[in-house]
Amino acid sequence: MFSAPVTAIKILPNDRICLAGTGPYVLAFDLTTNQQLLQEKILIDSIVHGFEARQITKETDNSSYIIVVFGQRTFSIIQWSSISRTSLTTVISSIQCPSWIISALIVHLDPLIQSLTVLFGTALNQIYRYNKSLELIQSFKYTTLYSSCLFHHINECIIFAAGTVFGQLILYEQDSNDYFHEKLNVSHHNGAIFGITYYENFLCTVGDDRTVKLYKFHNDLELLTSFFAHEARIWQSCLTSTHILTCGEDSSIRLWSHKSTGEILRCFSVHRCKNVWCMDILRDNDNNKPLIIISGWSDGGVRRYHLDDVPIDSHEVILLNNILQNDYPRNIIFLNSIIMIVQMNSGQLLKIDQQNITIFYDGRNILKNGYVKMNVAHDGNQYLAVGLLNGLVFIFDQYGKIINEFQIDINKNNKILQILWLNNTLSSKLLVCIPDGIMFVYNITNQPATVDHYLEILPDFEQRWPNTCLYLDQYNLLLIGDRQGNILSYDLNNQLNCSIYQKFERLHGINGTSSIVIDENTNLIRSCGRDGYINIFSINNEQRKLIHQSTFTITSDITWLDQFIKFPSLITCFTTNNFSLYTLDDQTTKRRLMHVECGGGHRNHDFFIEKNFDAYFVYVRNKQIYLAKKNLMRILNEATCLSIIPPTHGTEIRCVKLFQTNNHLYMITGSEDTQIKLFTFQLEKFNPKCEHISTLQSHLSAVCDIIVIDNLFFSCGARAQIFAWQMKNNIVIRSGHFMLHPLRRRHGAGGGGNINDENKKDNFNEDRGLDVRFTSIAAIRMAENGNYLLFVTGSDAILRIFRYTISSNRFTLLQTCTHSEYCQLRVKVYSKRYIVFVSSTDGLLCAYDCLSLDNTIRSTFIKLHQSGINDFDLIEIIENHLLRLASAGDDGSIHVSIFDINNWIWKREYSKDNIHQSPATGIRFLNSTMFISIGIDQRLKLWTIKNDEQILELTKNYLVDIRDILSMDMIFCDEKNQFAIVIVGAGVQTIQFDLTNYLFYS
């Protein structure tokens, strides 16, 4: 398995084939079948940054391409053929260039005599030529380039466009003597130019200043348009004769017109994915617009977007042909399918069925000039309940017949503020709310309806009514989400007067809880609100109480989540003036499926989706009814991500753990993007398989370490947070949470999860814990069943010892200790004797005796490294007596030491100074005399301790493909007698080690 940022994309349009570069690998995809065809390692020790392709013309039906693959200071030339679609043929293997290659152009190709000439533009403002050998043909004035483009212009003359770090665009033209001379020089960018694109006499540049510049290029450059396009740096652009596409560091792809002054036509984005590094487009026959966009993302995903997947298919005004003059709609709701009921100001209820508009109920004497509440039961008989301001409630069947009618009468203001059907009651139970938070549950099977339950009034608030409810029939609990963001649980076992059984106060802020649903497959409950957050709960079956598991968002710019849709799993939401529909369970993409400019969520609206995936959004605006429609069939059934290996994280992966459960191999990763991801995978030599299981979002900042024990795992990270998670049948729920200095939620318009200094004073002493980062965590079982002892290192140089109790989901701080004033980095535990080992940034490795936590904990340390010890591992060499520890540090050194448990002393054994060319970040024992180490230099080294000769020998050296390596883990697979190794950093790579033959392979 290999997943890393995708840094190059090239479409071969005639065959609808897409090439992608990730690390040193080239992937190929069939855009007709949306299948991945191949993955081959082309550049041995370099990252693929670009492709240059030329089709070979033949008389047969075989279509083949010569492709130049380049990256960093290396290039290779390969061939792809439509006959052997699943393989690449290497024409010329890797050739080194003295300078960084940033562009290429095939200027001559004769397959008959195997003649090929390629020009390369480099970052030192030079041009190299390859024709059987590589030679420098010209150096221009000295400057550093961040981008360049080689292309054929008028009369097939070759232009070299160079974008400098100072914002200059320099054009060089080749003359008849093959000499390049400077033609034009402009400085329109305020900062480095990161991308240059040429298409049909149009030239586009993008850069560090977040702007797009479009030029018309003949003999001179004519600036056609310039505008700010992204909130962060822009990496690349693509052109058609009428449109511009840009992608960048703000994790979005944007479509613009050539005449644009900053108006976005379309936008595609992925939540929590930092960069869109590259893209290419498959144009239509007229080249007027792109049909398909293929893009490469920093989470390793190759994603496809269709430009004809417009936000909506149709948007129309429904003309009511009002029977009464000056009448207008006040309220609207879907009855069933796309049949709508409209409340008119005159009191009439109109039924809209396609173009047929009829009177559903003539309520001019009762409903006139009043706003009514309407709700449709979505199970049973699909009754329509209508509540009036005078306390009167009508129950209609779907044909407009009144089947029940009753009056709220308690000698108070009986205005109906809310009316909601209880699910799973076959249209028999109705929740009604009147002023002062008074609520009833009516049984409408009786004539007239009777009260089954009087509910305890809602907490005091200005807007005191429920927005949503969920009836859990198996527990006989009624969950209510109200207008002030509370989630309340009512025990309906109490026959008449029902009190609040459980309360989550202001969980969704003062704008209210908007929807609550249960997933029948997992038995997990979801709530969402107008704070933009989704909360997940599990249920304690014995106590019949909710347990809060996690909180996450769809995207950071959505502050109003409105309604869960179960089949398929979607969610509706609002952003300022717009309605949007998002996928919910597609954790790797969170795609926006529908987008309507409607004026905002405060307007009366409703949403419905049919079985054929026709989605309808209806709303009232300016006294008119608007209906938007979109068919979601293709976008739901056609995966956006083309890669076989699922995307991982959009930012650096800081930690990884491997574990086995029920003969399945799992990998769990934590990242700077605050997410934890769980994967299951199979180690096959030529066909590795990986499946994304779950994405967990609860950490407020970076996830630094994870430990797995039994069916639990614990995660720790920045903001001094620890989380406990429980996994059962591939379902993960959060079972506990600890924070050194908990953040107070601000129950305002911004929603939950914000730091708020309520006292408006200097709280430095109280809140300094917010700067503490928990760097590593270890765990062992305690003697008491269901209790675990946790050891957590911190950036404040303190080792904290916790007890975690499953039954109460509580963390209890038992003890703290320290051995130096420097940040602690890594913790491991020898469980037999409760000895805890901690490394720190001053190069110390310390042992703590934690067998008894009642007294002062004794400790002893040894100075091993010049600077921080990033990782270490331990193994028993004499049971209950001697431990061997191997450590890897920032100084690039490897040290092996012995710890004598009985005498409580350290002994240096072996050391290799500066054995890694950069900081070493991971180390693991294979057995008592063999271990592996890894560093940022990408060298995976196998070491053998030869006790007879008293030497530490480097046995194997293997170059891995992941950059910026931060962590490593390893597990032994008994069936294959081999080790599975996972390395993470700027991506993920799995490597297998054959213990019999001492071979690494990936």
Side-chain angles (χ1 to χ4, degrees):
M1 172 186 170
F2 178 85
S3 176
V6 180
T7 49
I9 294 287
K10 181 68 174 180
I11 293 178
L12 310 178
N14 294 338
D15 290 86
R16 295 177 68 89
I17 297 296
C18 173
L19 304 177
T22 172
Y25 293 89
V26 172
L27 288 69
F29 303 91
D30 187 331
L31 299 182
T32 302
T33 62
N34 301 322
Q35 292 181 330
Q36 181 174 322
L37 301 176
L38 59 90
Q39 175 177 322
E40 293 190 20
K41 192 172 184 178
I42 300 300
L43 301 184
I44 301 303
D45 58 354
S46 299
I47 297 174
V48 177
H49 283 154
F51 299 98
E52 162 68 2
R54 180 72 63 86
Q55 186 170 14
I56 301 173
T57 304
K58 290 188 177 182
E59 295 180 357
T60 64
D61 294 333
N62 176 27
S63 176
S64 60
Y65 292 80
I66 288 293
I67 303 159
V68 179
V69 184
F70 61 89
Q72 296 177 269
R73 292 181 172 87
T74 308
F75 71 91
S76 292
I77 300 176
I78 60 175
Q79 183 174 343
W80 179 86
S81 171
S82 59
I83 292 179
S84 55
R85 297 163 57 84
T86 58
S87 63
L88 298 171
T89 302
T90 300
V91 178
I92 297 172
S93 58
S94 294
I95 294 178
Q96 295 293 315
C97 178
S99 182
W100 196 285
I101 302 171
I102 53 179
S103 62
L105 178 68
I106 298 175
V107 295
H108 174 73
L109 175 62
D110 190 341
L112 296 179
I113 60 173
Q114 297 183 345
S115 174
L116 175 70
T117 302
V118 186
L119 295 181
F120 295 99
T122 73
L124 295 180
N125 205 17
Q126 300 168 321
I127 293 183
Y128 283 79
R129 179 171 58 208
Y130 175 80
N131 187 349
K132 296 184 179 180
S133 64
L134 185 67
E135 60 177 335
L136 173 65
I137 62 171
Q138 197 165 346
S139 293
F140 306 105
K141 63 180 181 181
Y142 180 75
T143 186
T144 302
L145 308 183
Y146 271 9
S147 60
S148 70
C149 182
L150 282 157
F151 57 89
H152 290 283
H153 192 41
I154 300 171
N155 298 324
E156 288 300 306
C157 74
I158 297 174
I159 300 292
F160 176 53
T164 74
V165 295
F166 307 109
Q168 287 181 296
L169 174 62
I170 308 172
L171 300 184
Y172 300 93
E173 185 178 39
Q174 187 183 47
D175 60 21
S176 57
N177 297 319
D178 293 340
Y179 181 81
F180 286 86
H181 59 87
E182 185 174 320
K183 181 179 179 67
L184 294 167
N185 187 331
V186 295
S187 299
H188 292 151
H189 281 277
N190 184 22
I193 298 175
F194 291 133
I196 304 173
T197 307
Y198 174 81
Y199 178 74
E200 290 188 351
N201 298 331
F202 289 106
L203 199 65
C204 184
T205 59
V206 295
D208 191 32
D209 59 3
R210 283 70 166 163
T211 65
V212 174
K213 316 288 184 186
L214 179 67
Y215 301 91
K216 187 73 174 180
F217 176 41
H218 289 292
N219 289 322
D220 293 320
L221 279 177
E222 177 189 355
L223 182 62
L224 299 179
T225 186
S226 174
F227 54 89
F228 284 93
H230 290 255
E231 287 76 38
R233 292 177 292 183
I234 310 173
W235 301 130
Q236 189 187 340
S237 65
C238 287
L239 286 174
T240 71
S241 57
T242 56
H243 291 85
I244 309 168
L245 272 163
T246 56
C247 65
E249 197 177 27
D250 59 0
S251 185
S252 71
I253 302 170
R254 301 184 178 188
L255 177 69
W256 317 85
S257 165
H258 276 199
K259 299 179 181 179
S260 176
T261 57
E263 300 82 18
I264 302 176
L265 301 180
R266 297 293 309 280
C267 181
F268 306 94
S269 63
V270 171
H271 186 39
R272 296 179 188 268
C273 190
K274 186 176 180 181
N275 283 288
V276 191
W277 286 116
C278 54
M279 62 181 173
D280 199 4
I281 54 178
L282 184 64
R283 300 176 176 89
D284 65 5
N285 294 331
D286 298 328
N287 290 326
N288 288 325
K289 66 177 182 180
L291 283 176
I292 298 176
I293 306 167
I294 307 296
S295 51
W297 298 70
S298 59
D299 63 357
V302 177
R303 293 183 171 90
R304 175 200 53 230
Y305 297 99
H306 291 269
L307 257 294
D308 58 354
D309 278 338
V310 292
I312 50 177
D313 297 332
S314 63
H315 195 191
E316 60 179 309
V317 177
I318 298 178
L319 300 177
L320 296 178
N321 298 321
N322 300 339
I323 298 174
L324 301 177
Q325 191 175 6
N326 298 324
D327 202 5
Y328 59 89
R330 298 185 64 128
N331 201 348
I332 191 165
I333 194 169
F334 284 108
L335 181 61
N336 54 47
S337 187
I338 58 168
I339 298 174
M340 293 168 277
I341 303 298
V342 183
Q343 178 220 345
M344 304 297 292
N345 187 60
S346 65
Q348 290 181 332
L349 296 181
L350 302 184
K351 179 179 180 181
I352 304 175
D353 186 356
Q354 303 293 338
Q355 301 298 320
N356 187 23
I357 301 174
T358 57
I359 295 178
F360 185 77
Y361 173 73
D362 191 350
R364 283 177 286 179
N365 296 329
I366 302 174
L367 307 179
K368 184 177 181 180
N369 298 326
Y371 184 83
V372 305
K373 298 299 293 186
M374 299 194 297
N375 195 257
V376 173
H378 293 292
D379 58 4
N381 298 306
Q382 295 185 316
Y383 290 152
L384 170 67
V386 178
L388 282 62
L389 296 179
N390 61 3
L392 189 62
V393 177
F394 291 103
I395 309 296
F396 297 91
D397 66 12
Q398 56 185 309
Y399 305 106
K401 179 183 176 182
I402 298 176
I403 63 165
N404 208 328
E405 175 183 348
F406 57 94
Q407 174 74 46
I408 308 292
D409 186 10
I410 59 170
N411 299 320
K412 287 189 176 183
N413 182 358
N414 297 327
K415 180 192 299 183
I416 306 294
L417 298 181
Q418 186 61 277
I419 190 166
L420 299 168
W421 289 99
L422 271 62
N423 57 294
N424 297 327
T425 63
L426 299 178
S427 308
S428 66
K429 301 292 179 68
L430 190 68
L431 175 68
V432 180
C433 179
I434 63 174
D436 300 323
I438 299 172
M439 296 183 295
F440 317 90
V441 175
Y442 277 89
N443 187 335
I444 64 102
T445 59
N446 299 326
Q447 293 285 350
T450 56
V451 176
D452 275 1
H453 306 285
Y454 294 94
L455 304 184
E456 181 181 339
I457 63 173
L458 293 171
D460 191 18
F461 193 63
E462 182 180 356
Q463 297 170 320
R464 206 171 177 186
W465 61 78
N467 284 337
T468 182
C469 70
L470 174 67
Y471 177 54
L472 303 175
D473 54 340
Q474 66 271 43
Y475 304 102
N476 206 19
L477 292 175
L478 178 62
L479 305 184
I480 288 179
D482 70 5
R483 189 62 176 80
Q484 61 173 314
N486 300 316
I487 294 182
L488 310 171
S489 173
Y490 289 86
D491 185 356
L492 300 189
N493 283 334
N494 300 321
Q495 290 302 311
L496 190 60
N497 295 305
C498 301
S499 59
I500 296 175
Y501 185 63
Q502 190 181 9
K503 181 191 298 185
F504 294 89
E505 292 188 86
R506 298 195 174 187
L507 192 66
H508 287 287
I510 61 170
N511 290 325
T513 307
S514 55
S515 185
I516 307 175
V517 297
I518 186 169
D519 186 331
E520 284 81 3
N521 295 323
T522 63
N523 213 35
L524 294 177
I525 293 170
R526 290 170 171 160
S527 71
C528 67
R530 298 182 185 181
D531 60 349
Y533 287 88
I534 295 173
N535 286 283
I536 306 294
F537 303 85
S538 61
I539 307 174
N540 184 308
N541 291 325
E542 295 179 358
Q543 299 179 359
R544 299 165 61 236
K545 287 193 173 183
L546 303 187
I547 303 170
H548 186 256
Q549 297 297 335
S550 61
T551 300
F552 63 95
T553 60
I554 299 298
T555 67
S556 58
D557 61 331
I558 294 177
T559 57
W560 183 331
L561 300 177
D562 189 58
Q563 180 185 357
F564 290 109
I565 310 299
K566 282 193 174 182
F567 305 108
S569 185
L570 308 172
I571 189 167
T572 63
C573 48
F574 292 91
T575 55
T576 317
N577 294 325
N578 303 311
F579 163 84
S580 294
L581 177 68
Y582 275 84
T583 57
L584 186 60
D585 284 340
D586 193 353
Q587 296 278 6
T588 58
T589 57
K590 293 239 174 17
R591 292 178 289 164
R592 189 176 71 183
L593 309 179
M594 193 173 179
H595 188 70
V596 183
E597 198 284 306
C598 65
H602 61 281
R603 301 184 182 279
N604 194 273
H605 63 271
D606 201 9
F607 176 83
F608 183 80
I609 184 168
E610 292 191 299
K611 292 181 179 179
N612 65 354
F613 297 114
D614 278 338
Y616 298 90
F617 175 67
V618 65
Y619 62 98
V620 178
R621 186 180 189 182
N622 298 327
K623 298 184 178 181
Q624 289 186 305
I625 296 175
Y626 294 84
L627 179 65
K629 174 186 174 183
K630 180 173 174 62
N631 184 270
L632 307 176
M633 178 71 75
R634 184 176 72 178
I635 197 170
L636 287 174
N637 292 336
E638 192 176 73
T640 299
C641 194
L642 300 177
S643 315
I644 292 177
I645 301 298
T648 54
H649 297 268
T651 54
E652 287 181 334
I653 303 173
R654 299 198 60 85
C655 54
V656 61
K657 283 294 180 292
L658 293 174
F659 63 99
Q660 285 181 305
T661 300
N662 298 327
N663 296 321
H664 287 87
L665 186 59
Y666 291 90
M667 174 179 69
I668 187 166
T669 57
S671 169
E672 286 284 346
D673 64 7
T674 75
Q675 296 185 118
I676 297 170
K677 295 199 174 191
L678 178 66
F679 303 86
T680 180
F681 65 97
Q682 299 176 9
L683 287 176
E684 301 294 338
K685 188 169 184 179
F686 299 107
N687 187 28
K689 296 178 181 179
C690 180
E691 180 184 354
H692 173 259
I693 300 298
S694 182
T695 295
L696 310 174
Q697 300 182 74
S698 283
H699 281 269
L700 295 175
S701 191
V703 183
C704 295
D705 196 19
I706 300 168
I707 186 69
V708 180
I709 181 168
D710 299 332
N711 66 333
L712 294 171
F713 59 89
F714 299 91
S715 59
C716 69
R719 304 286 186 91
Q721 285 185 299
I722 309 172
F723 288 92
W725 310 87
Q726 192 166 15
M727 188 176 85
K728 184 178 181 181
N729 299 327
N730 284 353
I731 297 172
V732 181
I733 59 174
R734 194 181 82 183
S735 56
H737 170 227
F738 172 85
M739 192 171 186
L740 190 60
H741 289 256
L743 301 182
R744 292 181 292 275
R745 284 198 169 194
R746 185 184 71 206
H747 301 301
N754 296 296
I755 299 176
N756 182 32
D757 186 357
E758 296 172 347
N759 299 318
K760 306 296 183 183
K761 66 179 182 179
D762 184 7
N763 283 342
F764 175 77
N765 290 330
E766 293 181 9
D767 292 336
R768 67 175 183 268
L770 299 180
D771 296 328
V772 175
R773 174 180 288 234
F774 285 162
T775 56
S776 183
I777 188 168
I780 57 175
R781 300 180 199 89
M782 298 182 70
E784 303 93 334
N785 188 33
N787 285 267
Y788 294 84
L789 208 57
L790 304 180
F791 306 92
V792 183
T793 55
S795 59
D796 57 355
I798 297 174
L799 171 67
R800 293 173 173 85
I801 304 173
F802 297 86
R803 179 177 65 241
Y804 176 73
T805 305
I806 293 178
S807 59
S808 62
N809 297 324
R810 288 182 61 87
F811 291 88
T812 304
L813 182 61
L814 302 178
Q815 185 65 277
T816 62
C817 44
T818 186
H819 64 271
S820 75
E821 297 179 351
Y822 290 85
C823 170
Q824 297 175 351
L825 293 176
R826 190 66 59 194
V827 60
K828 299 284 178 71
V829 61
Y830 176 59
S831 58
K832 290 182 180 180
R833 297 280 291 269
Y834 284 66
I835 300 174
V836 178
F837 296 91
V838 175
S839 68
S840 50
T841 55
D842 54 359
L844 298 182
L845 189 56
C846 183
Y848 293 92
D849 186 357
C850 296
L851 186 60
S852 174
L853 300 177
D854 297 330
N855 304 314
T856 302
I857 297 175
R858 67 168 175 163
S859 64
T860 180
F861 60 80
I862 184 173
K863 174 77 172 180
L864 294 174
H865 293 260
Q866 297 177 9
S867 51
I869 300 176
N870 293 317
D871 196 18
F872 65 92
D873 199 15
L874 59 92
I875 195 167
E876 193 177 55
I877 53 176
I878 299 179
E879 186 174 359
N880 281 319
H881 179 40
L882 293 181
L883 299 177
R884 175 171 280 150
L885 292 93
S887 59
D890 270 338
D891 55 6
S893 301
I894 301 296
H895 290 266
V896 180
S897 52
I898 296 291
F899 185 73
D900 187 328
I901 299 172
N902 297 329
N903 297 311
W904 202 248
I905 57 173
W906 288 97
K907 177 187 175 183
R908 299 176 189 272
E909 193 174 18
Y910 304 102
S911 64
K912 291 286 185 179
D913 293 331
N914 304 314
I915 201 66
H916 283 278
Q917 298 174 13
S918 55
T921 54
I923 197 163
R924 290 292 182 274
F925 274 108
L926 302 173
N927 53 45
S928 62
T929 59
M930 297 180 69
F931 64 89
I932 56 173
S933 65
I934 189 70
I936 295 179
D937 60 0
Q938 299 177 249
R939 267 62 182 180
L940 180 62
K941 298 176 182 287
L942 173 65
W943 301 92
T944 302
I945 298 172
K946 296 189 174 181
N947 293 318
D948 295 340
E949 303 174 28
Q950 292 292 301
I951 60 171
L952 177 63
E953 181 180 81
L954 178 61
T955 308
K956 289 283 183 182
N957 198 344
Y958 184 78
L959 179 66
V960 302
D961 302 317
I962 292 293
R963 301 298 171 112
D964 302 325
I965 296 166
L966 294 177
S967 185
M968 172 180 69
D969 200 23
M970 182 182 69
I971 194 169
F972 182 67
C973 302
D974 295 317
E975 296 178 357
K976 299 183 178 181
N977 194 33
Q978 64 182 16
F979 287 90
I981 305 165
V982 174
I983 298 165
V984 298
V988 179
Q989 184 176 7
T990 59
I991 297 168
Q992 292 152 267
F993 176 67
D994 185 338
L995 191 59
T996 304
N997 301 307
Y998 287 7
L999 290 177
F1000 291 105
Y1001 58 90
S1002 60

